[in-house]
Amino acid sequence: MPIVSGAGSSGDPHHQFGFSFDQRRCTGCKTCEMACRDYHDLGTGPAFRTVHEYAGGTWIQNDEGAWEHDVFAFYVSMSCNHCTNPVCLRFCASDAIAKDDFGFVRVDAARCTGCQVCALSCPYHAPRFSEASAHIEKCDGCFDRVAAGLGPICVEACPQRALGFGIYDDIADHPLMVERVATMPDPVITQPNYAIEPCEAALRAADAAALQNLGEI
């Protein structure tokens, strides 16, 4: 598959694929994560897609002695967001990272030196260092499946149809879609191609102080 060459190249925006995520549908079952792990034969190593659980709220005893709560929880299924302006590409000293014709950010294993600067720079922690291969590995958008007219394995595996995939401008063209919830990075940094339709709990957690499990995220 042709690669869009040159550091900082953003590819053709008309062919920039991306993911959508309907947070209201996600139950946190991690089927997407397991399907990705199985398809890419990742074993027990780091997964390319991870389901994060956000939780918060408190229990309060009312004047009558009864306990009431405003506890909430929601999930975010996260992989590489194949950003329009990926910092991993910008910081790669060996030119091992590039965007292809689908807008996927991919790693050339033959060029990667395993320095891990990309992993340190990515605000979404998408690049993962593999001890087995001694180089960086990450979600490649299942480019082989997409080239064959199929969807990414994580999208097709989701039993609740919470994940979507397509030309990003099309799937993000909805007034309810956002590119950030809770403690996610500011999308201005990398211009992620990941659109989220937030659930009510995520809207309540706009302030990170509302979350009680920051150490787990």
Side-chain angles (χ1 to χ4, degrees):
M1 183 180 302
I3 296 293
V4 178
S5 61
S9 177
S10 61
D12 184 346
H14 299 295
H15 293 89
Q16 173 66 63
F17 283 89
F19 292 97
S20 64
F21 177 57
D22 188 341
Q23 206 167 44
R24 303 166 305 171
R25 290 176 174 265
C26 183
T27 63
C29 71
K30 299 192 177 183
T31 301
C32 57
E33 184 177 321
M34 294 301 103
C36 173
R37 185 184 297 278
D38 182 63
Y39 182 74
H40 293 286
D41 195 23
L42 298 177
T44 57
F48 295 159
R49 178 171 288 279
T50 306
V51 177
H52 302 276
E53 178 179 356
Y54 292 76
T58 59
W59 286 83
I60 301 173
Q61 191 171 24
N62 64 25
D63 295 338
E64 298 177 354
W67 287 91
E68 301 174 341
H69 72 82
D70 59 357
V71 176
F72 64 87
F74 60 92
Y75 303 94
V76 175
S77 178
M78 179 73 68
S79 70
C80 175
N81 295 320
H82 302 284
C83 304
T84 298
N85 188 23
V87 293
C88 61
L89 186 155
R90 281 185 274 152
F91 282 92
C92 180
S94 59
D95 290 330
I97 300 176
K99 286 179 71 71
D100 67 18
D101 287 349
F102 292 147
F104 295 140
V105 178
R106 290 166 54 190
V107 179
D108 183 344
R111 288 177 173 267
C112 180
T113 63
C115 70
Q116 304 182 53
V117 173
C118 60
L120 294 172
S121 64
C122 174
Y124 300 100
H125 310 293
R128 311 288 176 88
F129 181 75
S130 168
E131 296 287 351
S133 64
H135 63 69
I136 289 294
E137 297 179 349
K138 61 178 286 299
C139 165
D140 60 8
C142 286
F143 73 92
D144 53 343
R145 290 176 57 86
V146 175
L150 303 173
I153 196 68
C154 58
V155 174
E156 296 200 357
C158 177
Q160 302 298 326
R161 299 294 181 261
L163 284 170
F165 176 79
I167 298 296
Y168 188 69
D169 284 349
D170 295 338
I171 62 177
D173 187 20
H174 191 287
L176 296 181
M177 289 294 192
V178 298
E179 293 178 326
R180 177 188 189 184
V181 295
T183 59
M184 288 175 62
D186 189 331
V188 171
I189 299 171
T190 63
Q191 296 174 265
N193 291 293
Y194 181 50
I196 302 170
E197 189 164 354
C199 63
E200 182 180 352
L203 296 175
R204 290 172 53 193
D207 182 359
L211 298 171
Q212 300 298 323
N213 67 330
L214 289 175
E216 302 173 16
I217 300 171

